[in-house]
PDB file of all heavy atoms in Angstrom:
ATOM      1  N   ARG A   1     110.389 111.812 110.176  1.00 90.00           N
ATOM      2  CA  ARG A   1     111.708 111.679 110.889  1.00 90.00           C
ATOM      3  C   ARG A   1     111.625 110.625 111.942  1.00 90.00           C
ATOM      4  O   ARG A   1     112.639 109.929 112.188  1.00 90.00           O
ATOM      5  CB  ARG A   1     112.081 113.023 111.497  1.00 90.00           C
ATOM      6  CG  ARG A   1     112.140 114.188 110.542  1.00 90.00           C
ATOM      7  CD  ARG A   1     113.244 114.121 109.526  1.00 90.00           C
ATOM      8  NE  ARG A   1     113.339 115.342 108.785  1.00 90.00           N
ATOM      9  CZ  ARG A   1     113.746 115.404 107.543  1.00 90.00           C
ATOM     10  NH1 ARG A   1     114.089 114.389 106.894  1.00 90.00           N
ATOM     11  NH2 ARG A   1     113.807 116.586 106.916  1.00 90.00           N
ATOM     12  N   ASP A   2     110.502 110.461 112.620  1.00 92.00           N
ATOM     13  CA  ASP A   2     110.296 109.518 113.687  1.00 92.00           C
ATOM     14  C   ASP A   2     109.990 108.071 113.226  1.00 92.00           C
ATOM     15  O   ASP A   2     109.835 107.186 114.035  1.00 92.00           O
ATOM     16  CB  ASP A   2     109.284 110.007 114.729  1.00 92.00           C
ATOM     17  CG  ASP A   2     109.704 111.251 115.408  1.00 92.00           C
ATOM     18  OD1 ASP A   2     110.927 111.538 115.457  1.00 92.00           O
ATOM     19  OD2 ASP A   2     108.830 111.964 115.950  1.00 92.00           O
ATOM     20  N   GLY A   3     109.706 107.933 111.885  1.00 90.00           N
ATOM     21  CA  GLY A   3     109.448 106.628 111.355  1.00 90.00           C
ATOM     22  C   GLY A   3     107.976 106.225 111.600  1.00 90.00           C
ATOM     23  O   GLY A   3     107.617 105.055 111.497  1.00 90.00           O
ATOM     24  N   VAL A   4     107.087 107.239 111.761  1.00 89.00           N
ATOM     25  CA  VAL A   4     105.642 106.952 111.904  1.00 89.00           C
ATOM     26  C   VAL A   4     104.916 107.047 110.568  1.00 89.00           C
ATOM     27  O   VAL A   4     104.936 108.167 110.028  1.00 89.00           O
ATOM     28  CB  VAL A   4     105.006 107.918 112.992  1.00 89.00           C
ATOM     29  CG1 VAL A   4     103.510 107.613 113.107  1.00 89.00           C
ATOM     30  CG2 VAL A   4     105.672 107.766 114.334  1.00 89.00           C
ATOM     31  N   PHE A   5     104.430 106.012 110.082  1.00 87.00           N
ATOM     32  CA  PHE A   5     103.704 106.046 108.816  1.00 87.00           C
ATOM     33  C   PHE A   5     102.521 105.027 108.793  1.00 87.00           C
ATOM     34  O   PHE A   5     102.687 103.927 109.175  1.00 87.00           O
ATOM     35  CB  PHE A   5     104.688 105.635 107.710  1.00 87.00           C
ATOM     36  CG  PHE A   5     104.049 105.607 106.315  1.00 87.00           C
ATOM     37  CD1 PHE A   5     103.689 106.754 105.703  1.00 87.00           C
ATOM     38  CD2 PHE A   5     103.883 104.409 105.716  1.00 87.00           C
ATOM     39  CE1 PHE A   5     103.094 106.772 104.416  1.00 87.00           C
ATOM     40  CE2 PHE A   5     103.317 104.312 104.405  1.00 87.00           C
ATOM     41  CZ  PHE A   5     102.938 105.521 103.800  1.00 87.00           C
ATOM     42  N   PRO A   6     101.301 105.562 108.387  1.00 82.00           N
ATOM     43  CA  PRO A   6     100.962 106.944 108.131  1.00 82.00           C
ATOM     44  C   PRO A   6     100.980 107.727 109.444  1.00 82.00           C
ATOM     45  O   PRO A   6     100.921 107.125 110.572  1.00 82.00           O
ATOM     46  CB  PRO A   6      99.596 106.860 107.577  1.00 82.00           C
ATOM     47  CG  PRO A   6      99.382 105.452 107.181  1.00 82.00           C
ATOM     48  CD  PRO A   6     100.219 104.655 108.079  1.00 82.00           C
ATOM     49  N   PRO A   7     100.952 109.113 109.370  1.00 87.00           N
ATOM     50  CA  PRO A   7     100.944 109.883 110.622  1.00 87.00           C
ATOM     51  C   PRO A   7      99.646 109.723 111.344  1.00 87.00           C
ATOM     52  O   PRO A   7      98.621 109.369 110.820  1.00 87.00           O
ATOM     53  CB  PRO A   7     101.229 111.338 110.092  1.00 87.00           C
ATOM     54  CG  PRO A   7     100.754 111.271 108.722  1.00 87.00           C
ATOM     55  CD  PRO A   7     101.056 109.892 108.188  1.00 87.00           C
ATOM     56  N   GLU A   8      99.688 110.024 112.646  1.00 85.00           N
ATOM     57  CA  GLU A   8      98.495 109.948 113.428  1.00 85.00           C
ATOM     58  C   GLU A   8      97.429 110.945 112.957  1.00 85.00           C
ATOM     59  O   GLU A   8      97.742 112.061 112.545  1.00 85.00           O
ATOM     60  CB  GLU A   8      98.830 110.275 114.922  1.00 85.00           C
ATOM     61  CG  GLU A   8      99.732 109.220 115.623  1.00 85.00           C
ATOM     62  CD  GLU A   8      98.995 107.880 115.724  1.00 85.00           C
ATOM     63  OE1 GLU A   8      97.765 107.909 115.978  1.00 85.00           O
ATOM     64  OE2 GLU A   8      99.650 106.829 115.582  1.00 85.00           O
ATOM     65  N   PRO A   9      96.123 110.539 112.992  1.00 86.00           N
ATOM     66  CA  PRO A   9      95.079 111.470 112.462  1.00 86.00           C
ATOM     67  C   PRO A   9      94.997 112.703 113.328  1.00 86.00           C
ATOM     68  O   PRO A   9      95.274 112.668 114.543  1.00 86.00           O
ATOM     69  CB  PRO A   9      93.819 110.595 112.620  1.00 86.00           C
ATOM     70  CG  PRO A   9      94.313 109.177 112.734  1.00 86.00           C
ATOM     71  CD  PRO A   9      95.605 109.219 113.357  1.00 86.00           C
ATOM     72  N   THR A  10      94.607 113.824 112.675  1.00 84.00           N
ATOM     73  CA  THR A  10      94.453 115.075 113.432  1.00 84.00           C
ATOM     74  C   THR A  10      93.017 115.301 113.833  1.00 84.00           C
ATOM     75  O   THR A  10      92.716 116.098 114.724  1.00 84.00           O
ATOM     76  CB  THR A  10      94.879 116.205 112.544  1.00 84.00           C
ATOM     77  OG1 THR A  10      93.996 116.319 111.413  1.00 84.00           O
ATOM     78  CG2 THR A  10      96.310 115.998 112.002  1.00 84.00           C
ATOM     79  N   GLY A  11      92.042 114.522 113.254  1.00 84.00           N
ATOM     80  CA  GLY A  11      90.667 114.748 113.541  1.00 84.00           C
ATOM     81  C   GLY A  11      89.885 115.535 112.494  1.00 84.00           C
ATOM     82  O   GLY A  11      88.666 115.554 112.505  1.00 84.00           O
ATOM     83  N   ASP A  12      90.632 116.205 111.587  1.00 89.00           N
ATOM     84  CA  ASP A  12      90.036 116.940 110.521  1.00 89.00           C
ATOM     85  C   ASP A  12      90.251 116.158 109.208  1.00 89.00           C
ATOM     86  O   ASP A  12      91.387 115.914 108.827  1.00 89.00           O
ATOM     87  CB  ASP A  12      90.649 118.368 110.428  1.00 89.00           C
ATOM     88  CG  ASP A  12      90.081 119.104 109.166  1.00 89.00           C
ATOM     89  OD1 ASP A  12      88.961 119.667 109.375  1.00 89.00           O
ATOM     90  OD2 ASP A  12      90.726 119.171 108.182  1.00 89.00           O
ATOM     91  N   GLU A  13      89.132 115.798 108.506  1.00 88.00           N
ATOM     92  CA  GLU A  13      89.265 114.871 107.374  1.00 88.00           C
ATOM     93  C   GLU A  13      90.200 115.460 106.277  1.00 88.00           C
ATOM     94  O   GLU A  13      91.044 114.752 105.781  1.00 88.00           O
ATOM     95  CB  GLU A  13      87.937 114.603 106.815  1.00 88.00           C
ATOM     96  CG  GLU A  13      87.953 113.524 105.715  1.00 88.00           C
ATOM     97  CD  GLU A  13      86.580 113.116 105.247  1.00 88.00           C
ATOM     98  OE1 GLU A  13      85.548 113.659 105.685  1.00 88.00           O
ATOM     99  OE2 GLU A  13      86.505 112.121 104.408  1.00 88.00           O
ATOM    100  N   ARG A  14      89.970 116.694 105.897  1.00 90.00           N
ATOM    101  CA  ARG A  14      90.770 117.268 104.782  1.00 90.00           C
ATOM    102  C   ARG A  14      92.267 117.336 105.228  1.00 90.00           C
ATOM    103  O   ARG A  14      93.182 117.059 104.445  1.00 90.00           O
ATOM    104  CB  ARG A  14      90.258 118.678 104.397  1.00 90.00           C
ATOM    105  CG  ARG A  14      89.057 118.592 103.450  1.00 90.00           C
ATOM    106  CD  ARG A  14      89.326 117.868 102.167  1.00 90.00           C
ATOM    107  NE  ARG A  14      88.209 117.607 101.337  1.00 90.00           N
ATOM    108  CZ  ARG A  14      87.913 118.428 100.263  1.00 90.00           C
ATOM    109  NH1 ARG A  14      88.589 119.459  99.975  1.00 90.00           N
ATOM    110  NH2 ARG A  14      86.814 118.114  99.564  1.00 90.00           N
ATOM    111  N   SER A  15      92.488 117.768 106.453  1.00 93.00           N
ATOM    112  CA  SER A  15      93.898 117.812 106.916  1.00 93.00           C
ATOM    113  C   SER A  15      94.512 116.449 106.964  1.00 93.00           C
ATOM    114  O   SER A  15      95.741 116.264 106.656  1.00 93.00           O
ATOM    115  CB  SER A  15      93.937 118.478 108.333  1.00 93.00           C
ATOM    116  OG  SER A  15      93.485 119.809 108.327  1.00 93.00           O
ATOM    117  N   ASP A  16      93.777 115.441 107.369  1.00 95.00           N
ATOM    118  CA  ASP A  16      94.269 114.077 107.366  1.00 95.00           C
ATOM    119  C   ASP A  16      94.625 113.568 105.990  1.00 95.00           C
ATOM    120  O   ASP A  16      95.618 112.878 105.765  1.00 95.00           O
ATOM    121  CB  ASP A  16      93.280 113.132 108.046  1.00 95.00           C
ATOM    122  CG  ASP A  16      93.227 113.372 109.525  1.00 95.00           C
ATOM    123  OD1 ASP A  16      94.172 113.941 110.116  1.00 95.00           O
ATOM    124  OD2 ASP A  16      92.245 112.913 110.199  1.00 95.00           O
ATOM    125  N   TRP A  17      93.775 113.952 104.945  1.00 96.00           N
ATOM    126  CA  TRP A  17      94.118 113.598 103.585  1.00 96.00           C
ATOM    127  C   TRP A  17      95.404 114.273 103.134  1.00 96.00           C
ATOM    128  O   TRP A  17      96.239 113.689 102.494  1.00 96.00           O
ATOM    129  CB  TRP A  17      92.992 113.950 102.646  1.00 96.00           C
ATOM    130  CG  TRP A  17      91.998 112.882 102.471  1.00 96.00           C
ATOM    131  CD1 TRP A  17      90.654 112.902 102.851  1.00 96.00           C
ATOM    132  CD2 TRP A  17      92.158 111.588 101.870  1.00 96.00           C
ATOM    133  NE1 TRP A  17      90.028 111.665 102.495  1.00 96.00           N
ATOM    134  CE2 TRP A  17      90.966 110.887 101.892  1.00 96.00           C
ATOM    135  CE3 TRP A  17      93.310 110.973 101.322  1.00 96.00           C
ATOM    136  CZ2 TRP A  17      90.801 109.590 101.420  1.00 96.00           C
ATOM    137  CZ3 TRP A  17      93.132 109.639 100.775  1.00 96.00           C
ATOM    138  CH2 TRP A  17      91.918 108.967 100.856  1.00 96.00           C
ATOM    139  N   THR A  18      95.558 115.516 103.500  1.00 96.00           N
ATOM    140  CA  THR A  18      96.786 116.227 103.152  1.00 96.00           C
ATOM    141  C   THR A  18      98.039 115.598 103.785  1.00 96.00           C
ATOM    142  O   THR A  18      99.065 115.385 103.151  1.00 96.00           O
ATOM    143  CB  THR A  18      96.694 117.750 103.472  1.00 96.00           C
ATOM    144  OG1 THR A  18      95.645 118.308 102.803  1.00 96.00           O
ATOM    145  CG2 THR A  18      97.980 118.500 103.142  1.00 96.00           C
ATOM    146  N   ALA A  19      97.866 115.285 105.068  1.00 96.00           N
ATOM    147  CA  ALA A  19      98.949 114.651 105.762  1.00 96.00           C
ATOM    148  C   ALA A  19      99.300 113.285 105.187  1.00 96.00           C
ATOM    149  O   ALA A  19     100.485 112.915 105.036  1.00 96.00           O
ATOM    150  CB  ALA A  19      98.616 114.491 107.257  1.00 96.00           C
ATOM    151  N   PHE A  20      98.218 112.533 104.783  1.00 95.00           N
ATOM    152  CA  PHE A  20      98.469 111.222 104.148  1.00 95.00           C
ATOM    153  C   PHE A  20      99.212 111.402 102.849  1.00 95.00           C
ATOM    154  O   PHE A  20     100.226 110.703 102.536  1.00 95.00           O
ATOM    155  CB  PHE A  20      97.140 110.533 103.922  1.00 95.00           C
ATOM    156  CG  PHE A  20      97.279 109.218 103.187  1.00 95.00           C
ATOM    157  CD1 PHE A  20      97.663 108.092 103.827  1.00 95.00           C
ATOM    158  CD2 PHE A  20      97.026 109.167 101.833  1.00 95.00           C
ATOM    159  CE1 PHE A  20      97.756 106.876 103.170  1.00 95.00           C
ATOM    160  CE2 PHE A  20      97.192 108.011 101.132  1.00 95.00           C
ATOM    161  CZ  PHE A  20      97.536 106.813 101.745  1.00 95.00           C
ATOM    162  N   GLY A  21      98.772 112.325 101.994  1.00 96.00           N
ATOM    163  CA  GLY A  21      99.389 112.526 100.675  1.00 96.00           C
ATOM    164  C   GLY A  21     100.846 112.895 100.813  1.00 96.00           C
ATOM    165  O   GLY A  21     101.691 112.407 100.125  1.00 96.00           O
ATOM    166  N   LEU A  22     101.121 113.838 101.737  1.00 97.00           N
ATOM    167  CA  LEU A  22     102.493 114.280 101.945  1.00 97.00           C
ATOM    168  C   LEU A  22     103.386 113.135 102.490  1.00 97.00           C
ATOM    169  O   LEU A  22     104.501 112.980 102.042  1.00 97.00           O
ATOM    170  CB  LEU A  22     102.530 115.482 102.880  1.00 97.00           C
ATOM    171  CG  LEU A  22     102.025 116.767 102.354  1.00 97.00           C
ATOM    172  CD1 LEU A  22     101.938 117.814 103.444  1.00 97.00           C
ATOM    173  CD2 LEU A  22     102.813 117.278 101.207  1.00 97.00           C
ATOM    174  N   SER A  23     102.842 112.396 103.452  1.00 95.00           N
ATOM    175  CA  SER A  23     103.661 111.339 104.041  1.00 95.00           C
ATOM    176  C   SER A  23     103.916 110.203 103.065  1.00 95.00           C
ATOM    177  O   SER A  23     105.068 109.691 102.997  1.00 95.00           O
ATOM    178  CB  SER A  23     102.970 110.784 105.301  1.00 95.00           C
ATOM    179  OG  SER A  23     101.703 110.145 104.918  1.00 95.00           O
ATOM    180  N   VAL A  24     102.962 109.898 102.191  1.00 95.00           N
ATOM    181  CA  VAL A  24     103.182 108.864 101.153  1.00 95.00           C
ATOM    182  C   VAL A  24     104.262 109.375 100.137  1.00 95.00           C
ATOM    183  O   VAL A  24     105.108 108.662  99.753  1.00 95.00           O
ATOM    184  CB  VAL A  24     101.877 108.553 100.405  1.00 95.00           C
ATOM    185  CG1 VAL A  24     102.181 107.889  99.107  1.00 95.00           C
ATOM    186  CG2 VAL A  24     100.982 107.712 101.297  1.00 95.00           C
ATOM    187  N   ALA A  25     104.169 110.667  99.837  1.00 96.00           N
ATOM    188  CA  ALA A  25     105.120 111.192  98.921  1.00 96.00           C
ATOM    189  C   ALA A  25     106.544 111.172  99.451  1.00 96.00           C
ATOM    190  O   ALA A  25     107.560 110.829  98.741  1.00 96.00           O
ATOM    191  CB  ALA A  25     104.759 112.623  98.525  1.00 96.00           C
ATOM    192  N   LEU A  26     106.690 111.474 100.698  1.00 95.00           N
ATOM    193  CA  LEU A  26     108.001 111.395 101.346  1.00 95.00           C
ATOM    194  C   LEU A  26     108.519 109.984 101.422  1.00 95.00           C
ATOM    195  O   LEU A  26     109.756 109.687 101.181  1.00 95.00           O
ATOM    196  CB  LEU A  26     107.915 111.990 102.771  1.00 95.00           C
ATOM    197  CG  LEU A  26     107.779 113.529 102.856  1.00 95.00           C
ATOM    198  CD1 LEU A  26     107.375 113.995 104.224  1.00 95.00           C
ATOM    199  CD2 LEU A  26     109.105 114.228 102.453  1.00 95.00           C
ATOM    200  N   GLN A  27     107.675 109.028 101.728  1.00 94.00           N
ATOM    201  CA  GLN A  27     108.102 107.645 101.787  1.00 94.00           C
ATOM    202  C   GLN A  27     108.518 107.157 100.404  1.00 94.00           C
ATOM    203  O   GLN A  27     109.495 106.443 100.238  1.00 94.00           O
ATOM    204  CB  GLN A  27     106.982 106.743 102.286  1.00 94.00           C
ATOM    205  CG  GLN A  27     106.571 106.991 103.780  1.00 94.00           C
ATOM    206  CD  GLN A  27     107.641 106.477 104.724  1.00 94.00           C
ATOM    207  OE1 GLN A  27     108.444 105.660 104.403  1.00 94.00           O
ATOM    208  NE2 GLN A  27     107.606 107.045 105.920  1.00 94.00           N
ATOM    209  N   ALA A  28     107.751 107.518  99.363  1.00 93.00           N
ATOM    210  CA  ALA A  28     108.074 107.151  98.025  1.00 93.00           C
ATOM    211  C   ALA A  28     109.418 107.736  97.593  1.00 93.00           C
ATOM    212  O   ALA A  28     110.247 107.051  97.000  1.00 93.00           O
ATOM    213  CB  ALA A  28     106.987 107.596  97.046  1.00 93.00           C
ATOM    214  N   ALA A  29     109.630 109.007  97.933  1.00 93.00           N
ATOM    215  CA  ALA A  29     110.899 109.673  97.546  1.00 93.00           C
ATOM    216  C   ALA A  29     112.083 109.013  98.236  1.00 93.00           C
ATOM    217  O   ALA A  29     113.164 108.870  97.640  1.00 93.00           O
ATOM    218  CB  ALA A  29     110.815 111.171  97.938  1.00 93.00           C
ATOM    219  N   ARG A  30     111.872 108.636  99.497  1.00 91.00           N
ATOM    220  CA  ARG A  30     112.971 107.930 100.245  1.00 91.00           C
ATOM    221  C   ARG A  30     113.324 106.624  99.562  1.00 91.00           C
ATOM    222  O   ARG A  30     114.484 106.299  99.347  1.00 91.00           O
ATOM    223  CB  ARG A  30     112.548 107.738 101.668  1.00 91.00           C
ATOM    224  CG  ARG A  30     113.531 106.853 102.437  1.00 91.00           C
ATOM    225  CD  ARG A  30     112.966 106.542 103.840  1.00 91.00           C
ATOM    226  NE  ARG A  30     113.257 107.630 104.774  1.00 91.00           N
ATOM    227  CZ  ARG A  30     112.727 107.787 105.928  1.00 91.00           C
ATOM    228  NH1 ARG A  30     111.787 106.857 106.421  1.00 91.00           N
ATOM    229  NH2 ARG A  30     113.033 108.793 106.713  1.00 91.00           N
ATOM    230  N   LEU A  31     112.304 105.867  99.182  1.00 90.00           N
ATOM    231  CA  LEU A  31     112.515 104.579  98.534  1.00 90.00           C
ATOM    232  C   LEU A  31     113.224 104.781  97.176  1.00 90.00           C
ATOM    233  O   LEU A  31     114.221 104.101  96.822  1.00 90.00           O
ATOM    234  CB  LEU A  31     111.173 103.863  98.289  1.00 90.00           C
ATOM    235  CG  LEU A  31     111.201 102.548  97.571  1.00 90.00           C
ATOM    236  CD1 LEU A  31     112.134 101.509  98.203  1.00 90.00           C
ATOM    237  CD2 LEU A  31     109.819 101.983  97.421  1.00 90.00           C
ATOM    238  N   LEU A  32     112.767 105.715  96.380  1.00 89.00           N
ATOM    239  CA  LEU A  32     113.273 105.938  95.070  1.00 89.00           C
ATOM    240  C   LEU A  32     114.720 106.499  95.107  1.00 89.00           C
ATOM    241  O   LEU A  32     115.603 106.208  94.309  1.00 89.00           O
ATOM    242  CB  LEU A  32     112.386 106.873  94.262  1.00 89.00           C
ATOM    243  CG  LEU A  32     111.021 106.252  93.885  1.00 89.00           C
ATOM    244  CD1 LEU A  32     110.154 107.323  93.298  1.00 89.00           C
ATOM    245  CD2 LEU A  32     111.178 105.095  92.940  1.00 89.00           C
ATOM    246  N   ARG A  33     114.919 107.427  96.092  1.00 87.00           N
ATOM    247  CA  ARG A  33     116.241 108.060  96.271  1.00 87.00           C
ATOM    248  C   ARG A  33     117.306 107.012  96.627  1.00 87.00           C
ATOM    249  O   ARG A  33     118.385 106.996  96.154  1.00 87.00           O
ATOM    250  CB  ARG A  33     116.224 109.166  97.235  1.00 87.00           C
ATOM    251  CG  ARG A  33     117.456 110.032  97.233  1.00 87.00           C
ATOM    252  CD  ARG A  33     117.327 111.097  98.306  1.00 87.00           C
ATOM    253  NE  ARG A  33     118.540 111.894  98.361  1.00 87.00           N
ATOM    254  CZ  ARG A  33     118.801 112.998  97.587  1.00 87.00           C
ATOM    255  NH1 ARG A  33     117.900 113.408  96.737  1.00 87.00           N
ATOM    256  NH2 ARG A  33     119.938 113.675  97.821  1.00 87.00           N
ATOM    257  N   SER A  34     116.902 106.069  97.515  1.00 82.00           N
ATOM    258  CA  SER A  34     117.849 105.021  97.977  1.00 82.00           C
ATOM    259  C   SER A  34     118.102 103.976  96.920  1.00 82.00           C
ATOM    260  O   SER A  34     119.210 103.399  96.904  1.00 82.00           O
ATOM    261  CB  SER A  34     117.327 104.434  99.254  1.00 82.00           C
ATOM    262  OG  SER A  34     116.144 103.716  99.009  1.00 82.00           O
ATOM    263  N   SER A  35     117.195 103.756  96.055  1.00 73.00           N
ATOM    264  CA  SER A  35     117.301 102.635  95.059  1.00 73.00           C
ATOM    265  C   SER A  35     117.697 103.092  93.688  1.00 73.00           C
ATOM    266  O   SER A  35     118.175 102.308  92.874  1.00 73.00           O
ATOM    267  CB  SER A  35     115.975 101.847  95.024  1.00 73.00           C
ATOM    268  OG  SER A  35     115.555 101.416  96.259  1.00 73.00           O
ATOM    269  N   GLY A  36     117.541 104.394  93.388  1.00 59.00           N
ATOM    270  CA  GLY A  36     117.696 104.856  92.004  1.00 59.00           C
ATOM    271  C   GLY A  36     119.052 104.493  91.383  1.00 59.00           C
ATOM    272  O   GLY A  36     119.091 103.970  90.279  1.00 59.00           O
ATOM    273  N   PRO A  37     120.198 104.714  92.124  1.00 53.00           N
ATOM    274  CA  PRO A  37     121.500 104.447  91.432  1.00 53.00           C
ATOM    275  C   PRO A  37     121.674 102.992  91.129  1.00 53.00           C
ATOM    276  O   PRO A  37     122.619 102.629  90.392  1.00 53.00           O
ATOM    277  CB  PRO A  37     122.479 104.926  92.536  1.00 53.00           C
ATOM    278  CG  PRO A  37     121.670 105.899  93.405  1.00 53.00           C
ATOM    279  CD  PRO A  37     120.295 105.332  93.395  1.00 53.00           C
ATOM    280  N   ASN A  38     120.813 102.115  91.714  1.00 57.00           N
ATOM    281  CA  ASN A  38     121.098 100.683  91.583  1.00 57.00           C
ATOM    282  C   ASN A  38     120.170 100.077  90.473  1.00 57.00           C
ATOM    283  O   ASN A  38     120.175  98.841  90.260  1.00 57.00           O
ATOM    284  CB  ASN A  38     120.839  99.948  92.887  1.00 57.00           C
ATOM    285  CG  ASN A  38     121.712 100.438  93.979  1.00 57.00           C
ATOM    286  OD1 ASN A  38     122.910 100.638  93.791  1.00 57.00           O
ATOM    287  ND2 ASN A  38     121.129 100.611  95.180  1.00 57.00           N
ATOM    288  N   VAL A  39     119.386 100.886  89.803  1.00 59.00           N
ATOM    289  CA  VAL A  39     118.480 100.355  88.779  1.00 59.00           C
ATOM    290  C   VAL A  39     119.328  99.919  87.544  1.00 59.00           C
ATOM    291  O   VAL A  39     120.147 100.704  86.968  1.00 59.00           O
ATOM    292  CB  VAL A  39     117.501 101.338  88.294  1.00 59.00           C
ATOM    293  CG1 VAL A  39     116.686 100.831  87.150  1.00 59.00           C
ATOM    294  CG2 VAL A  39     116.569 101.689  89.488  1.00 59.00           C
ATOM    295  N   ASP A  40     119.193  98.656  87.169  1.00 59.00           N
ATOM    296  CA  ASP A  40     119.927  98.113  85.998  1.00 59.00           C
ATOM    297  C   ASP A  40     118.941  98.189  84.865  1.00 59.00           C
ATOM    298  O   ASP A  40     117.813  97.771  84.942  1.00 59.00           O
ATOM    299  CB  ASP A  40     120.286  96.649  86.309  1.00 59.00           C
ATOM    300  CG  ASP A  40     121.230  96.102  85.244  1.00 59.00           C
ATOM    301  OD1 ASP A  40     121.135  96.487  84.027  1.00 59.00           O
ATOM    302  OD2 ASP A  40     122.093  95.258  85.608  1.00 59.00           O
ATOM    303  N   THR A  41     119.470  98.757  83.708  1.00 54.00           N
ATOM    304  CA  THR A  41     118.593  98.762  82.551  1.00 54.00           C
ATOM    305  C   THR A  41     118.071  97.415  82.059  1.00 54.00           C
ATOM    306  O   THR A  41     117.080  97.299  81.421  1.00 54.00           O
ATOM    307  CB  THR A  41     119.293  99.453  81.358  1.00 54.00           C
ATOM    308  OG1 THR A  41     120.591  98.789  81.086  1.00 54.00           O
ATOM    309  CG2 THR A  41     119.590 100.920  81.644  1.00 54.00           C
ATOM    310  N   ALA A  42     118.776  96.339  82.527  1.00 49.00           N
ATOM    311  CA  ALA A  42     118.317  95.002  82.146  1.00 49.00           C
ATOM    312  C   ALA A  42     117.014  94.645  82.908  1.00 49.00           C
ATOM    313  O   ALA A  42     116.331  93.722  82.603  1.00 49.00           O
ATOM    314  CB  ALA A  42     119.414  93.971  82.460  1.00 49.00           C
ATOM    315  N   GLU A  43     116.785  95.373  84.041  1.00 64.00           N
ATOM    316  CA  GLU A  43     115.596  95.119  84.805  1.00 64.00           C
ATOM    317  C   GLU A  43     114.411  95.960  84.317  1.00 64.00           C
ATOM    318  O   GLU A  43     113.335  95.874  84.947  1.00 64.00           O
ATOM    319  CB  GLU A  43     115.921  95.478  86.283  1.00 64.00           C
ATOM    320  CG  GLU A  43     117.042  94.669  86.883  1.00 64.00           C
ATOM    321  CD  GLU A  43     117.385  95.194  88.289  1.00 64.00           C
ATOM    322  OE1 GLU A  43     116.799  96.148  88.759  1.00 64.00           O
ATOM    323  OE2 GLU A  43     118.394  94.675  88.869  1.00 64.00           O
ATOM    324  N   VAL A  44     114.555  96.704  83.263  1.00 71.00           N
ATOM    325  CA  VAL A  44     113.468  97.548  82.787  1.00 71.00           C
ATOM    326  C   VAL A  44     112.598  96.780  81.795  1.00 71.00           C
ATOM    327  O   VAL A  44     113.125  96.207  80.809  1.00 71.00           O
ATOM    328  CB  VAL A  44     114.065  98.865  82.154  1.00 71.00           C
ATOM    329  CG1 VAL A  44     112.932  99.681  81.577  1.00 71.00           C
ATOM    330  CG2 VAL A  44     114.892  99.551  83.074  1.00 71.00           C
TER     331      VAL A  44
END
């Protein structure tokens, strides 16, 4: 929500991997959600 990507490390390696995976997924979903209606089949 604050536009921080990737999120700041927590100090725990496994937790940081989870945070990274979730944040990447959210960024990808935002990009795809905003662009999806504009995909032209000619661009496929």
Side-chain angles (χ1 to χ4, degrees):
R1 305 290 187 211
D2 294 340
V4 179
F5 177 71
E8 292 295 324
T10 66
D12 178 79
E13 185 175 6
R14 281 299 173 99
S15 295
D16 287 343
W17 270 116
T18 300
F20 175 81
L22 290 174
S23 63
V24 164
L26 287 167
Q27 293 290 339
R30 172 184 279 168
L31 175 60
L32 293 171
R33 189 178 179 91
S34 63
S35 303
N38 300 318
V39 174
D40 189 328
T41 54
E43 300 172 1
V44 178

